[in-house]
Amino acid sequence: QVQVVESGGGLVQTGGSLRLSCAASGTDYHFNSMGWYRQAPGNQRELVATITQIGITDYADSVKGRFTISGGSAKNTVYLQMNSLEPEDTSVYLCNAKFGQRTYWGQGTQVTVSS
């Protein structure tokens, strides 16, 4: 069974930075794509950034130029470097990993940006 685990969330001041990590385990396959989403209370889940197996990335307009998604050296690991954080970035950040037709989600990590 594939497990997806996020880490790296926390409390940071406006303008600060955080680096989130996501690791998918329990499979011998390489992911087709992995991505970061976020969901604040009362809001729909929204895409933040995704990366494919060959390194093609995509970003929400709201984070372009501030966030960077990258693959790690370990298999099925990705990172999200978040710079110039704003209070509007406060949310639970969730990672997903796609292997073939299946998508697996982590439990999420809280990011709070204080003004």
Side-chain angles (χ1 to χ4, degrees):
Q1 181 70 17
V2 175
Q3 289 188 320
V4 177
V5 178
E6 307 97 334
S7 62
L11 174 64
V12 65
Q13 291 185 331
T14 297
S17 299
L18 282 174
R19 188 192 195 206
L20 305 183
S21 300
C22 175
S25 61
T27 178
D28 291 330
Y29 295 100
H30 198 288
F31 66 85
N32 297 116
S33 67
M34 291 183 72
W36 287 97
Y37 294 72
R38 63 188 182 188
Q39 187 166 19
N43 291 351
Q44 290 188 334
R45 187 172 296 182
E46 61 174 357
L47 179 145
V48 175
T50 61
I51 186 168
T52 69
Q53 182 181 11
I54 59 173
I56 297 173
T57 59
D58 188 29
Y59 296 91
D61 288 342
S62 60
V63 306
K64 283 180 180 176
R66 300 188 298 124
F67 292 9
T68 303
I69 189 170
S70 61
S73 57
K75 188 175 73 173
N76 297 333
T77 301
V78 296
Y79 302 101
L80 184 68
Q81 178 66 42
M82 305 187 295
N83 298 328
S84 301
L85 283 161
E86 305 165 351
E88 293 73 22
D89 296 315
T90 295
S91 190
V92 175
Y93 283 71
L94 303 109
C95 178
N96 80 4
K98 296 182 179 180
F99 295 88
Q101 300 300 312
R102 295 192 174 187
T103 299
Y104 302 88
W105 289 89
Q107 294 296 311
T109 185
Q110 177 69 45
V111 171
T112 302
V113 185
S114 63
S115 56

PDB file of all heavy atoms in Angstrom, residues 64-98:
ATOM      1  N   LYS A  64       3.407  31.637  -8.450  1.00  0.00           N
ATOM      2  CA  LYS A  64       4.486  31.717  -9.434  1.00  0.00           C
ATOM      3  C   LYS A  64       5.494  32.777  -9.021  1.00  0.00           C
ATOM      4  O   LYS A  64       5.136  33.882  -8.623  1.00  0.00           O
ATOM      5  CB  LYS A  64       3.921  32.042 -10.817  1.00  0.00           C
ATOM      6  CG  LYS A  64       3.265  30.866 -11.507  1.00  0.00           C
ATOM      7  CD  LYS A  64       2.731  31.262 -12.881  1.00  0.00           C
ATOM      8  CE  LYS A  64       2.063  30.069 -13.561  1.00  0.00           C
ATOM      9  NZ  LYS A  64       1.459  30.440 -14.861  1.00  0.00           N
ATOM     10  N   GLY A  65       6.761  32.413  -9.115  1.00  0.00           N
ATOM     11  CA  GLY A  65       7.816  33.334  -8.736  1.00  0.00           C
ATOM     12  C   GLY A  65       8.160  33.304  -7.262  1.00  0.00           C
ATOM     13  O   GLY A  65       9.180  33.872  -6.849  1.00  0.00           O
ATOM     14  N   ARG A  66       7.334  32.643  -6.456  1.00  0.00           N
ATOM     15  CA  ARG A  66       7.604  32.550  -5.012  1.00  0.00           C
ATOM     16  C   ARG A  66       7.845  31.113  -4.560  1.00  0.00           C
ATOM     17  O   ARG A  66       8.651  30.888  -3.656  1.00  0.00           O
ATOM     18  CB  ARG A  66       6.416  33.116  -4.217  1.00  0.00           C
ATOM     19  CG  ARG A  66       6.093  34.570  -4.512  1.00  0.00           C
ATOM     20  CD  ARG A  66       5.040  35.118  -3.545  1.00  0.00           C
ATOM     21  NE  ARG A  66       3.765  34.411  -3.651  1.00  0.00           N
ATOM     22  CZ  ARG A  66       3.153  33.824  -2.625  1.00  0.00           C
ATOM     23  NH1 ARG A  66       3.695  33.845  -1.417  1.00  0.00           N
ATOM     24  NH2 ARG A  66       1.978  33.226  -2.803  1.00  0.00           N
ATOM     25  N   PHE A  67       7.147  30.171  -5.162  1.00  0.00           N
ATOM     26  CA  PHE A  67       7.266  28.753  -4.784  1.00  0.00           C
ATOM     27  C   PHE A  67       7.993  27.985  -5.884  1.00  0.00           C
ATOM     28  O   PHE A  67       7.847  28.277  -7.072  1.00  0.00           O
ATOM     29  CB  PHE A  67       5.891  28.129  -4.583  1.00  0.00           C
ATOM     30  CG  PHE A  67       5.101  28.635  -3.402  1.00  0.00           C
ATOM     31  CD1 PHE A  67       5.512  29.743  -2.667  1.00  0.00           C
ATOM     32  CD2 PHE A  67       3.936  27.992  -3.014  1.00  0.00           C
ATOM     33  CE1 PHE A  67       4.780  30.202  -1.585  1.00  0.00           C
ATOM     34  CE2 PHE A  67       3.195  28.427  -1.933  1.00  0.00           C
ATOM     35  CZ  PHE A  67       3.621  29.540  -1.218  1.00  0.00           C
ATOM     36  N   THR A  68       8.735  26.969  -5.464  1.00  0.00           N
ATOM     37  CA  THR A  68       9.424  26.099  -6.410  1.00  0.00           C
ATOM     38  C   THR A  68       9.243  24.654  -5.994  1.00  0.00           C
ATOM     39  O   THR A  68       9.557  24.289  -4.850  1.00  0.00           O
ATOM     40  CB  THR A  68      10.916  26.418  -6.475  1.00  0.00           C
ATOM     41  OG1 THR A  68      11.100  27.797  -6.833  1.00  0.00           O
ATOM     42  CG2 THR A  68      11.613  25.538  -7.508  1.00  0.00           C
ATOM     43  N   ILE A  69       8.751  23.829  -6.910  1.00  0.00           N
ATOM     44  CA  ILE A  69       8.621  22.401  -6.661  1.00  0.00           C
ATOM     45  C   ILE A  69       9.796  21.697  -7.330  1.00  0.00           C
ATOM     46  O   ILE A  69      10.208  22.066  -8.434  1.00  0.00           O
ATOM     47  CB  ILE A  69       7.269  21.848  -7.169  1.00  0.00           C
ATOM     48  CG1 ILE A  69       7.068  20.410  -6.700  1.00  0.00           C
ATOM     49  CG2 ILE A  69       7.144  21.979  -8.671  1.00  0.00           C
ATOM     50  CD1 ILE A  69       5.657  19.876  -6.959  1.00  0.00           C
ATOM     51  N   SER A  70      10.342  20.690  -6.665  1.00  0.00           N
ATOM     52  CA  SER A  70      11.485  19.971  -7.218  1.00  0.00           C
ATOM     53  C   SER A  70      11.466  18.536  -6.748  1.00  0.00           C
ATOM     54  O   SER A  70      10.874  18.211  -5.702  1.00  0.00           O
ATOM     55  CB  SER A  70      12.799  20.645  -6.814  1.00  0.00           C
ATOM     56  OG  SER A  70      12.945  20.646  -5.401  1.00  0.00           O
ATOM     57  N   GLY A  71      12.108  17.672  -7.538  1.00  0.00           N
ATOM     58  CA  GLY A  71      12.234  16.279  -7.160  1.00  0.00           C
ATOM     59  C   GLY A  71      13.454  16.069  -6.298  1.00  0.00           C
ATOM     60  O   GLY A  71      14.476  16.741  -6.487  1.00  0.00           O
ATOM     61  N   GLY A  72      13.345  15.162  -5.341  1.00  0.00           N
ATOM     62  CA  GLY A  72      14.464  14.860  -4.482  1.00  0.00           C
ATOM     63  C   GLY A  72      15.339  13.760  -5.054  1.00  0.00           C
ATOM     64  O   GLY A  72      14.977  13.097  -6.025  1.00  0.00           O
ATOM     65  N   SER A  73      16.506  13.571  -4.462  1.00  0.00           N
ATOM     66  CA  SER A  73      17.411  12.521  -4.912  1.00  0.00           C
ATOM     67  C   SER A  73      16.870  11.142  -4.558  1.00  0.00           C
ATOM     68  O   SER A  73      17.133  10.159  -5.252  1.00  0.00           O
ATOM     69  CB  SER A  73      18.798  12.711  -4.294  1.00  0.00           C
ATOM     70  OG  SER A  73      18.702  12.741  -2.876  1.00  0.00           O
ATOM     71  N   ALA A  74      16.106  11.067  -3.486  1.00  0.00           N
ATOM     72  CA  ALA A  74      15.473   9.799  -3.112  1.00  0.00           C
ATOM     73  C   ALA A  74      14.274   9.562  -4.010  1.00  0.00           C
ATOM     74  O   ALA A  74      13.570  10.503  -4.395  1.00  0.00           O
ATOM     75  CB  ALA A  74      15.043   9.825  -1.652  1.00  0.00           C
ATOM     76  N   LYS A  75      14.013   8.314  -4.322  1.00  0.00           N
ATOM     77  CA  LYS A  75      12.898   7.989  -5.202  1.00  0.00           C
ATOM     78  C   LYS A  75      11.585   8.436  -4.585  1.00  0.00           C
ATOM     79  O   LYS A  75      11.363   8.288  -3.384  1.00  0.00           O
ATOM     80  CB  LYS A  75      12.872   6.477  -5.462  1.00  0.00           C
ATOM     81  CG  LYS A  75      11.873   6.051  -6.523  1.00  0.00           C
ATOM     82  CD  LYS A  75      11.981   4.568  -6.828  1.00  0.00           C
ATOM     83  CE  LYS A  75      11.432   3.724  -5.714  1.00  0.00           C
ATOM     84  NZ  LYS A  75      11.381   2.285  -6.091  1.00  0.00           N
ATOM     85  N   ASN A  76      10.713   8.976  -5.431  1.00  0.00           N
ATOM     86  CA  ASN A  76       9.353   9.356  -5.023  1.00  0.00           C
ATOM     87  C   ASN A  76       9.335  10.370  -3.888  1.00  0.00           C
ATOM     88  O   ASN A  76       8.553  10.264  -2.935  1.00  0.00           O
ATOM     89  CB  ASN A  76       8.541   8.113  -4.657  1.00  0.00           C
ATOM     90  CG  ASN A  76       8.351   7.190  -5.843  1.00  0.00           C
ATOM     91  OD1 ASN A  76       8.351   7.635  -6.995  1.00  0.00           O
ATOM     92  ND2 ASN A  76       8.198   5.910  -5.584  1.00  0.00           N
ATOM     93  N   THR A  77      10.257  11.334  -3.996  1.00  0.00           N
ATOM     94  CA  THR A  77      10.324  12.425  -3.026  1.00  0.00           C
ATOM     95  C   THR A  77      10.288  13.750  -3.762  1.00  0.00           C
ATOM     96  O   THR A  77      10.973  13.913  -4.772  1.00  0.00           O
ATOM     97  CB  THR A  77      11.611  12.345  -2.197  1.00  0.00           C
ATOM     98  OG1 THR A  77      11.660  11.098  -1.512  1.00  0.00           O
ATOM     99  CG2 THR A  77      11.670  13.470  -1.186  1.00  0.00           C
ATOM    100  N   VAL A  78       9.499  14.684  -3.273  1.00  0.00           N
ATOM    101  CA  VAL A  78       9.465  16.020  -3.858  1.00  0.00           C
ATOM    102  C   VAL A  78       9.493  17.050  -2.739  1.00  0.00           C
ATOM    103  O   VAL A  78       9.137  16.747  -1.592  1.00  0.00           O
ATOM    104  CB  VAL A  78       8.226  16.268  -4.751  1.00  0.00           C
ATOM    105  CG1 VAL A  78       8.237  15.350  -5.956  1.00  0.00           C
ATOM    106  CG2 VAL A  78       6.942  16.139  -3.957  1.00  0.00           C
ATOM    107  N   TYR A  79       9.904  18.257  -3.109  1.00  0.00           N
ATOM    108  CA  TYR A  79       9.984  19.355  -2.166  1.00  0.00           C
ATOM    109  C   TYR A  79       9.208  20.544  -2.718  1.00  0.00           C
ATOM    110  O   TYR A  79       9.044  20.695  -3.916  1.00  0.00           O
ATOM    111  CB  TYR A  79      11.434  19.753  -1.932  1.00  0.00           C
ATOM    112  CG  TYR A  79      12.297  18.634  -1.422  1.00  0.00           C
ATOM    113  CD1 TYR A  79      13.154  17.948  -2.289  1.00  0.00           C
ATOM    114  CD2 TYR A  79      12.251  18.249  -0.095  1.00  0.00           C
ATOM    115  CE1 TYR A  79      13.937  16.909  -1.831  1.00  0.00           C
ATOM    116  CE2 TYR A  79      13.036  17.197   0.369  1.00  0.00           C
ATOM    117  CZ  TYR A  79      13.873  16.545  -0.505  1.00  0.00           C
ATOM    118  OH  TYR A  79      14.636  15.508  -0.046  1.00  0.00           O
ATOM    119  N   LEU A  80       8.760  21.386  -1.801  1.00  0.00           N
ATOM    120  CA  LEU A  80       8.146  22.654  -2.177  1.00  0.00           C
ATOM    121  C   LEU A  80       8.841  23.756  -1.379  1.00  0.00           C
ATOM    122  O   LEU A  80       8.653  23.854  -0.165  1.00  0.00           O
ATOM    123  CB  LEU A  80       6.651  22.651  -1.893  1.00  0.00           C
ATOM    124  CG  LEU A  80       5.907  23.916  -2.358  1.00  0.00           C
ATOM    125  CD1 LEU A  80       5.895  23.977  -3.894  1.00  0.00           C
ATOM    126  CD2 LEU A  80       4.484  23.960  -1.818  1.00  0.00           C
ATOM    127  N   GLN A  81       9.654  24.532  -2.065  1.00  0.00           N
ATOM    128  CA  GLN A  81      10.319  25.678  -1.438  1.00  0.00           C
ATOM    129  C   GLN A  81       9.392  26.878  -1.558  1.00  0.00           C
ATOM    130  O   GLN A  81       9.021  27.269  -2.663  1.00  0.00           O
ATOM    131  CB  GLN A  81      11.646  25.973  -2.127  1.00  0.00           C
ATOM    132  CG  GLN A  81      12.383  27.175  -1.563  1.00  0.00           C
ATOM    133  CD  GLN A  81      12.850  26.952  -0.135  1.00  0.00           C
ATOM    134  OE1 GLN A  81      13.343  25.888   0.209  1.00  0.00           O
ATOM    135  NE2 GLN A  81      12.670  27.965   0.707  1.00  0.00           N
ATOM    136  N   MET A  82       9.022  27.434  -0.435  1.00  0.00           N
ATOM    137  CA  MET A  82       8.084  28.550  -0.407  1.00  0.00           C
ATOM    138  C   MET A  82       8.782  29.780   0.146  1.00  0.00           C
ATOM    139  O   MET A  82       9.224  29.784   1.305  1.00  0.00           O
ATOM    140  CB  MET A  82       6.866  28.194   0.463  1.00  0.00           C
ATOM    141  CG  MET A  82       6.165  26.914   0.047  1.00  0.00           C
ATOM    142  SD  MET A  82       4.638  26.605   0.950  1.00  0.00           S
ATOM    143  CE  MET A  82       5.286  26.358   2.598  1.00  0.00           C
ATOM    144  N   ASN A  83       8.903  30.801  -0.679  1.00  0.00           N
ATOM    145  CA  ASN A  83       9.544  32.055  -0.287  1.00  0.00           C
ATOM    146  C   ASN A  83       8.525  33.188  -0.322  1.00  0.00           C
ATOM    147  O   ASN A  83       7.458  33.061  -0.915  1.00  0.00           O
ATOM    148  CB  ASN A  83      10.705  32.373  -1.233  1.00  0.00           C
ATOM    149  CG  ASN A  83      11.786  31.317  -1.202  1.00  0.00           C
ATOM    150  OD1 ASN A  83      12.045  30.678  -0.179  1.00  0.00           O
ATOM    151  ND2 ASN A  83      12.447  31.131  -2.336  1.00  0.00           N
ATOM    152  N   SER A  84       8.878  34.287   0.304  1.00  0.00           N
ATOM    153  CA  SER A  84       8.012  35.480   0.324  1.00  0.00           C
ATOM    154  C   SER A  84       6.587  35.110   0.730  1.00  0.00           C
ATOM    155  O   SER A  84       5.614  35.514   0.081  1.00  0.00           O
ATOM    156  CB  SER A  84       8.013  36.151  -1.050  1.00  0.00           C
ATOM    157  OG  SER A  84       9.326  36.530  -1.430  1.00  0.00           O
ATOM    158  N   LEU A  85       6.475  34.366   1.798  1.00  0.00           N
ATOM    159  CA  LEU A  85       5.167  33.894   2.228  1.00  0.00           C
ATOM    160  C   LEU A  85       4.279  35.041   2.688  1.00  0.00           C
ATOM    161  O   LEU A  85       4.756  36.026   3.274  1.00  0.00           O
ATOM    162  CB  LEU A  85       5.316  32.857   3.334  1.00  0.00           C
ATOM    163  CG  LEU A  85       5.745  31.465   2.837  1.00  0.00           C
ATOM    164  CD1 LEU A  85       6.311  30.630   3.962  1.00  0.00           C
ATOM    165  CD2 LEU A  85       4.555  30.759   2.201  1.00  0.00           C
ATOM    166  N   GLU A  86       3.008  34.888   2.415  1.00  0.00           N
ATOM    167  CA  GLU A  86       1.999  35.891   2.740  1.00  0.00           C
ATOM    168  C   GLU A  86       0.919  35.250   3.618  1.00  0.00           C
ATOM    169  O   GLU A  86       0.735  34.032   3.580  1.00  0.00           O
ATOM    170  CB  GLU A  86       1.365  36.417   1.445  1.00  0.00           C
ATOM    171  CG  GLU A  86       2.354  36.967   0.447  1.00  0.00           C
ATOM    172  CD  GLU A  86       1.756  37.145  -0.941  1.00  0.00           C
ATOM    173  OE1 GLU A  86       0.613  36.668  -1.165  1.00  0.00           O
ATOM    174  OE2 GLU A  86       2.433  37.742  -1.804  1.00  0.00           O
ATOM    175  N   PRO A  87       0.219  36.048   4.398  1.00  0.00           N
ATOM    176  CA  PRO A  87      -0.860  35.479   5.228  1.00  0.00           C
ATOM    177  C   PRO A  87      -1.864  34.670   4.408  1.00  0.00           C
ATOM    178  O   PRO A  87      -2.425  33.687   4.916  1.00  0.00           O
ATOM    179  CB  PRO A  87      -1.511  36.710   5.846  1.00  0.00           C
ATOM    180  CG  PRO A  87      -0.396  37.710   5.942  1.00  0.00           C
ATOM    181  CD  PRO A  87       0.425  37.483   4.695  1.00  0.00           C
ATOM    182  N   GLU A  88      -2.066  35.060   3.157  1.00  0.00           N
ATOM    183  CA  GLU A  88      -3.006  34.329   2.292  1.00  0.00           C
ATOM    184  C   GLU A  88      -2.524  32.921   1.958  1.00  0.00           C
ATOM    185  O   GLU A  88      -3.296  32.107   1.447  1.00  0.00           O
ATOM    186  CB  GLU A  88      -3.232  35.101   0.993  1.00  0.00           C
ATOM    187  CG  GLU A  88      -3.961  36.429   1.139  1.00  0.00           C
ATOM    188  CD  GLU A  88      -3.115  37.522   1.770  1.00  0.00           C
ATOM    189  OE1 GLU A  88      -1.860  37.407   1.717  1.00  0.00           O
ATOM    190  OE2 GLU A  88      -3.682  38.475   2.317  1.00  0.00           O
ATOM    191  N   ASP A  89      -1.273  32.627   2.229  1.00  0.00           N
ATOM    192  CA  ASP A  89      -0.742  31.282   1.994  1.00  0.00           C
ATOM    193  C   ASP A  89      -1.057  30.336   3.155  1.00  0.00           C
ATOM    194  O   ASP A  89      -0.778  29.138   3.058  1.00  0.00           O
ATOM    195  CB  ASP A  89       0.775  31.333   1.796  1.00  0.00           C
ATOM    196  CG  ASP A  89       1.173  32.103   0.557  1.00  0.00           C
ATOM    197  OD1 ASP A  89       0.549  31.892  -0.506  1.00  0.00           O
ATOM    198  OD2 ASP A  89       2.117  32.915   0.648  1.00  0.00           O
ATOM    199  N   THR A  90      -1.600  30.868   4.238  1.00  0.00           N
ATOM    200  CA  THR A  90      -1.953  30.029   5.378  1.00  0.00           C
ATOM    201  C   THR A  90      -2.974  28.982   4.968  1.00  0.00           C
ATOM    202  O   THR A  90      -4.020  29.311   4.410  1.00  0.00           O
ATOM    203  CB  THR A  90      -2.519  30.892   6.517  1.00  0.00           C
ATOM    204  OG1 THR A  90      -1.491  31.763   7.001  1.00  0.00           O
ATOM    205  CG2 THR A  90      -3.025  30.026   7.657  1.00  0.00           C
ATOM    206  N   SER A  91      -2.636  27.709   5.236  1.00  0.00           N
ATOM    207  CA  SER A  91      -3.504  26.629   4.804  1.00  0.00           C
ATOM    208  C   SER A  91      -2.910  25.297   5.257  1.00  0.00           C
ATOM    209  O   SER A  91      -1.774  25.251   5.715  1.00  0.00           O
ATOM    210  CB  SER A  91      -3.624  26.635   3.272  1.00  0.00           C
ATOM    211  OG  SER A  91      -4.633  25.757   2.842  1.00  0.00           O
ATOM    212  N   VAL A  92      -3.683  24.239   5.085  1.00  0.00           N
ATOM    213  CA  VAL A  92      -3.137  22.893   5.167  1.00  0.00           C
ATOM    214  C   VAL A  92      -2.633  22.529   3.777  1.00  0.00           C
ATOM    215  O   VAL A  92      -3.377  22.634   2.794  1.00  0.00           O
ATOM    216  CB  VAL A  92      -4.186  21.875   5.637  1.00  0.00           C
ATOM    217  CG1 VAL A  92      -3.612  20.459   5.580  1.00  0.00           C
ATOM    218  CG2 VAL A  92      -4.641  22.199   7.053  1.00  0.00           C
ATOM    219  N   TYR A  93      -1.387  22.118   3.708  1.00  0.00           N
ATOM    220  CA  TYR A  93      -0.784  21.749   2.430  1.00  0.00           C
ATOM    221  C   TYR A  93      -0.753  20.224   2.341  1.00  0.00           C
ATOM    222  O   TYR A  93      -0.227  19.546   3.233  1.00  0.00           O
ATOM    223  CB  TYR A  93       0.621  22.329   2.313  1.00  0.00           C
ATOM    224  CG  TYR A  93       0.595  23.803   1.990  1.00  0.00           C
ATOM    225  CD1 TYR A  93       0.177  24.719   2.947  1.00  0.00           C
ATOM    226  CD2 TYR A  93       0.956  24.263   0.733  1.00  0.00           C
ATOM    227  CE1 TYR A  93       0.123  26.083   2.653  1.00  0.00           C
ATOM    228  CE2 TYR A  93       0.907  25.618   0.430  1.00  0.00           C
ATOM    229  CZ  TYR A  93       0.486  26.520   1.393  1.00  0.00           C
ATOM    230  OH  TYR A  93       0.428  27.865   1.096  1.00  0.00           O
ATOM    231  N   LEU A  94      -1.317  19.717   1.253  1.00  0.00           N
ATOM    232  CA  LEU A  94      -1.411  18.272   1.045  1.00  0.00           C
ATOM    233  C   LEU A  94      -0.627  17.876  -0.197  1.00  0.00           C
ATOM    234  O   LEU A  94      -0.635  18.583  -1.197  1.00  0.00           O
ATOM    235  CB  LEU A  94      -2.865  17.849   0.876  1.00  0.00           C
ATOM    236  CG  LEU A  94      -3.803  18.218   2.027  1.00  0.00           C
ATOM    237  CD1 LEU A  94      -4.743  19.323   1.600  1.00  0.00           C
ATOM    238  CD2 LEU A  94      -4.590  17.012   2.493  1.00  0.00           C
ATOM    239  N   CYS A  95       0.005  16.726  -0.096  1.00  0.00           N
ATOM    240  CA  CYS A  95       0.773  16.189  -1.206  1.00  0.00           C
ATOM    241  C   CYS A  95       0.023  15.012  -1.795  1.00  0.00           C
ATOM    242  O   CYS A  95      -0.598  14.222  -1.058  1.00  0.00           O
ATOM    243  CB  CYS A  95       2.143  15.745  -0.709  1.00  0.00           C
ATOM    244  SG  CYS A  95       3.205  14.986  -1.955  1.00  0.00           S
ATOM    245  N   ASN A  96       0.068  14.896  -3.126  1.00  0.00           N
ATOM    246  CA  ASN A  96      -0.441  13.672  -3.726  1.00  0.00           C
ATOM    247  C   ASN A  96       0.569  13.091  -4.677  1.00  0.00           C
ATOM    248  O   ASN A  96       1.484  13.774  -5.149  1.00  0.00           O
ATOM    249  CB  ASN A  96      -1.811  13.873  -4.378  1.00  0.00           C
ATOM    250  CG  ASN A  96      -1.769  14.508  -5.756  1.00  0.00           C
ATOM    251  OD1 ASN A  96      -0.713  14.765  -6.331  1.00  0.00           O
ATOM    252  ND2 ASN A  96      -2.941  14.741  -6.314  1.00  0.00           N
ATOM    253  N   ALA A  97       0.423  11.808  -4.896  1.00  0.00           N
ATOM    254  CA  ALA A  97       1.315  11.084  -5.791  1.00  0.00           C
ATOM    255  C   ALA A  97       0.475  10.194  -6.695  1.00  0.00           C
ATOM    256  O   ALA A  97      -0.408   9.481  -6.223  1.00  0.00           O
ATOM    257  CB  ALA A  97       2.303  10.239  -4.990  1.00  0.00           C
ATOM    258  N   LYS A  98       0.763  10.270  -7.999  1.00  0.00           N
ATOM    259  CA  LYS A  98       0.022   9.480  -8.968  1.00  0.00           C
ATOM    260  C   LYS A  98       0.916   8.378  -9.518  1.00  0.00           C
ATOM    261  O   LYS A  98       2.003   8.641 -10.018  1.00  0.00           O
ATOM    262  CB  LYS A  98      -0.495  10.358 -10.105  1.00  0.00           C
ATOM    263  CG  LYS A  98      -1.502  11.394  -9.645  1.00  0.00           C
ATOM    264  CD  LYS A  98      -2.030  12.225 -10.803  1.00  0.00           C
ATOM    265  CE  LYS A  98      -3.046  13.243 -10.319  1.00  0.00           C
ATOM    266  NZ  LYS A  98      -3.583  14.079 -11.419  1.00  0.00           N
TER     267      LYS A  98
END
